[in-house]
């Protein structure tokens, strides 16, 4: 009865709290703590409840745990029988891999081998948690399937940060496969918000790529953003025998002809921005043959640099494309080639490829 009473009190505390016993076994966590560390609330070791990227099952005992500031804080509080305050720098596991976080804690000995920890500065942890949530939401904005309008497609989306500024989309209009790829200015959270705007504002019921871009440009100007904010994009509609396309300051689509020749599609138009009062966007149409491959990509691919500072360029894309029999093979080969070409990604990498 007393334990339930104390637990109900701790559960109402807004500050993140956990109680830890011998061998770093966690006896109690309140909802604020579970939410902060994205933990299920089940009992476990200190490493498990904080989602430590180390040896969580052998928390405090494994060789990798030596020098762990979190474990040291609890041990110092226990042996000194006094309050300990520490700044913690920790590698934690997330759904997307491993990331580093920092936070401040206060550890107080309770007696009987128990210590209570409260997280005093949760701001950075909260930001990391929100960034993970934002990344998960952004992943849900990606194309859902592999077919649209009777055309098979493949794509890759590799953001250079947790939140990316590229947006690929594939959908169907009146039985035709349509594709759109956008690259917004900036990086991180602001870029992610702008790419979400593109997803919501782009009219996927409009059969004309140019008209869809024009409508987006009108909505963008209503945001009244400064000149540093802009969007480049390329949009296509694949009909039975032809491709209708439009661009807004973006990398040109590339068409691999079934006879192994490669065509770079060109059409000049300004980015979606507030730079011009009445920007004009146009559609153009080209034929294709069965077996061709159509590629849309962002400059994170062409401007990828190797250790000598050399860009991968359109030549690198075309070389990879020329030895790829299908869109899916091309995407996989391109991913492998870019990994070997550059050891450090500096921009979002986004590509859509259609089998025609």
């Amino acid at each position: 009865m007393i334990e339930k009473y104390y637990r109900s009190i701790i559960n109402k505390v807004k500050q993140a709290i956990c109680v830890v016993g011998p061998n770093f076994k966690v006896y109690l966590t309140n909802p604020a703590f579970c939410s902060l560390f994205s933990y299920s609330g089940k009992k476990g070791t200190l490493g498990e409840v904080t989602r430590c990227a180390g040896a969580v099952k052998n928390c405090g005992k494994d060789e990798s745990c030596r020098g762990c500031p979190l474990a040291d804080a609890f041990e110092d509080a226990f042996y000194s029988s006094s309050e300990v305050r520490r700044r913690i720098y920790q590698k934690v596991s997330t759904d997307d891999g491993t990331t580093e976080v920092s936070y401040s804690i206060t550890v107080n000995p309770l007696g009987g081998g128990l210590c209570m920890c409260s997280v005093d500065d949760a701001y950075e942890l909260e930001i990391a948690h929100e960034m993970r949530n934002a990344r998960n939401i952004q992943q849900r904005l990606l194309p859902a399937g592999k077919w649209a309008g009777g055309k098979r497609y493949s794509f890759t989306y590799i953001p250079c940060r947790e939140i990316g500024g590229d947006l690929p989309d594939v959908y169907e209009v009146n039985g035709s496969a349509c594709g759109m790829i956008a690259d917004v200015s900036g990086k991180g959270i602001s870029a992610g918000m702008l790419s979400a705007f593109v997803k919501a504002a782009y009219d996927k019921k409009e059969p004309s790529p140019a008209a869809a871009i024009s409508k987006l440009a009108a909505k963008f100007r209503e945001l009244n953003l400064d000149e540093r904010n802009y969007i480049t994009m390329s949009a296509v509609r694949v009909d039975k025998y032809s491709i209708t396309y439009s661009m807004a300051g973006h990398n040109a689509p590339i068409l691999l002809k079934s006879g192994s020749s490669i065509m770079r599609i060109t059409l000049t138009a300004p980015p979606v921005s507030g730079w011009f009062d009445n920007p004009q966007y146009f559609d153009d149409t080209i034929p294709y043959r069965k077996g061709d491959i159509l590629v849309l990509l962002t400059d994170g691919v062409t401007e990828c640099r190797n250790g000598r500072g050399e860009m991968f360029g359109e030549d690198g894309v075309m070389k990879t494309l020329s030895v790829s029999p299908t869109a899916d093979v091309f995407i996989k080969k391109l991913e492998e080639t870019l990994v070997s070409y550059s050891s450090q990604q500096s921009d979002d990498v986004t590509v859509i490829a259609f089998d025609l």
Side-chain angles (χ1 to χ4, degrees):
M1 185 67 182
I2 295 295
E3 181 183 350
K4 289 183 178 180
Y5 176 72
Y6 284 127
R7 181 181 291 275
S8 66
I9 293 176
I10 291 176
N11 283 348
K12 292 178 181 178
V13 175
K14 294 183 178 180
Q15 192 173 26
I17 291 174
C18 74
V19 176
V20 179
N23 298 320
F24 301 105
K25 180 180 178 181
V26 174
Y27 285 86
L28 182 96
T29 55
N30 69 346
F33 187 93
C34 295
S35 175
L36 194 60
F37 287 91
S38 301
Y39 187 67
S40 65
K42 297 178 181 179
K43 294 179 181 179
T45 66
L46 182 62
E48 287 174 311
V49 300
T50 59
R51 303 196 70 174
C52 175
V56 294
K57 293 294 184 181
N58 295 313
C59 183
K61 300 178 182 179
D62 194 88
E63 185 68 24
S64 64
C65 296
R66 287 192 176 184
C68 170
L70 185 59
D72 287 348
F74 277 90
E75 286 190 336
D76 291 347
F78 175 75
Y79 287 115
S80 66
S81 298
S82 60
E83 180 182 278
V84 171
R85 294 186 179 184
R86 294 283 166 82
R87 184 69 177 171
I88 306 299
Y89 297 90
Q90 183 181 9
K91 288 185 177 181
V92 298
S93 297
T94 70
D95 295 336
D96 302 310
T98 301
T99 188
E100 292 186 357
V101 297
S102 62
Y103 52 96
S104 298
I105 62 168
T106 300
V107 183
N108 286 284
L110 301 177
L114 299 177
C115 290
M116 183 178 75
C117 161
S118 62
V119 181
D120 302 321
D121 179 12
Y123 178 73
E124 291 186 46
L125 269 173
E126 290 172 351
I127 289 295
H129 180 66
E130 292 301 318
M131 289 290 282
R132 289 195 298 272
N133 286 342
R135 181 181 175 88
N136 289 336
I137 292 171
Q138 193 171 61
Q139 289 293 318
R140 294 176 182 272
L141 300 181
L142 299 177
K146 291 293 184 181
W147 289 87
K151 302 298 181 185
R152 186 174 177 84
Y153 69 91
S154 187
F155 76 95
T156 185
Y157 171 67
I158 310 172
C160 69
R161 296 185 182 179
E162 281 194 286
I163 306 298
D166 285 0
L167 177 67
D169 206 357
V170 179
Y171 53 97
E172 185 176 327
V173 175
N174 299 332
S176 297
C178 295
M180 179 272 286
I181 195 165
D183 185 358
V184 308
S185 56
K187 289 181 173 61
I189 296 175
S190 61
M193 293 182 68
L194 195 51
S195 66
F197 160 78
V198 176
K199 178 73 174 183
Y202 189 80
D203 186 357
K204 294 199 292 185
K205 294 181 180 179
E206 171 58 60
S208 164
I213 294 176
S214 296
K215 291 179 180 179
L216 177 70
K219 292 178 180 178
F220 180 86
R221 289 193 294 277
E222 292 176 1
L223 297 178
N224 198 29
L225 301 177
D226 64 37
E227 67 278 359
R228 293 172 295 179
N229 295 279
Y230 60 90
I231 305 163
T232 69
M233 60 191 314
S234 179
V236 299
R237 187 187 74 243
V238 182
D239 298 315
K240 191 172 182 179
Y241 301 109
S242 63
I243 300 166
T244 299
Y245 65 95
S246 186
M247 287 185 285
H250 198 78
N251 292 65
I254 298 171
L255 179 65
L256 172 66
K257 309 294 284 184
S258 53
S260 296
S261 63
I262 295 179
M263 177 181 180
R264 182 178 180 272
I265 303 171
T266 58
L267 185 66
T268 303
V272 172
S273 66
W275 304 342
F276 308 97
D277 291 332
N278 188 29
Q280 300 295 310
Y281 300 98
F282 305 94
D283 283 332
D284 201 356
T285 302
I286 58 172
Y288 71 86
R289 292 182 178 179
K290 184 176 177 59
D292 292 353
I293 299 175
L294 176 65
V295 175
L296 308 179
L297 72 165
T298 61
D299 59 11
V301 179
T302 55
E303 296 180 7
C304 177
R305 296 179 181 272
N306 61 15
R308 297 187 297 274
E310 300 167 334
M311 290 197 299
F312 187 67
E314 287 188 352
D315 288 343
V317 176
M318 293 179 181
K319 183 178 179 181
T320 307
L321 184 58
S322 65
V323 294
S324 303
T326 67
D328 190 56
V329 171
F330 165 68
I331 292 295
K332 291 176 181 177
K333 282 183 177 291
L334 185 65
E335 289 175 339
E336 294 170 357
T337 302
L338 290 176
V339 168
S340 61
Y341 189 82
S342 177
S343 59
Q344 186 172 2
Q345 184 181 342
S346 59
D347 199 359
D348 302 329
V349 169
T350 309
V351 187
I352 305 172
F354 290 91
D355 284 316
L356 304 180

